[in-house]
Amino acid sequence: MQTVTLAADWITIGTGLGTDIKTLIFKVFIPVLCGIFILVVGLKTRAPGPTLMAVIFAGVVLGLSLSINTIGKSTSDTINEYNNGGGGKVVQGDQ
């Protein structure tokens, strides 16, 4: 039986680049871009509806970027469990 890796752990690849760069991107660069996005949409449209939607969208993007470690751990655990044949004990029924 051959072992197949389903996906590269891109969080580990990002950590290989350096935790300082990863921290800079996820905790500084993305929040600044979200703020710029809200300002640009607000100044271009000058309407509350699109600006409110921009705030919601930026909040979702910011929330996901700040919880990237949790998402990465969950994804890695799922991939490892699948690669190990399902992870838990197999309960055989009556045959």
Side-chain angles (χ1 to χ4, degrees):
M1 179 179 213
Q2 293 180 340
T3 302
V4 177
T5 303
L6 295 176
D9 187 8
W10 59 276
I11 301 297
T12 305
I13 294 169
T15 304
L17 293 174
T19 54
D20 293 337
I21 293 173
K22 192 168 85 168
T23 301
L24 183 67
I25 290 171
F26 288 121
K27 299 207 176 186
V28 176
F29 188 64
I30 291 176
V32 167
L33 283 179
C34 287
I36 291 171
F37 174 70
I38 293 169
L39 287 175
V40 167
V41 169
L43 292 175
K44 288 283 187 179
T45 62
R46 297 193 186 272
T51 306
L52 182 61
M53 291 307 296
V55 169
I56 292 170
F57 181 69
V60 168
V61 170
L62 182 62
L64 289 173
S65 72
L66 292 177
S67 66
I68 195 72
N69 288 334
T70 304
I71 295 169
K73 183 179 179 328
S74 174
T75 304
S76 296
D77 290 346
T78 302
I79 291 170
N80 289 335
E81 182 176 328
Y82 185 82
N83 281 339
N84 293 333
K89 290 183 177 180
V90 177
V91 177
Q92 303 233 343
D94 294 333
Q95 295 291 327

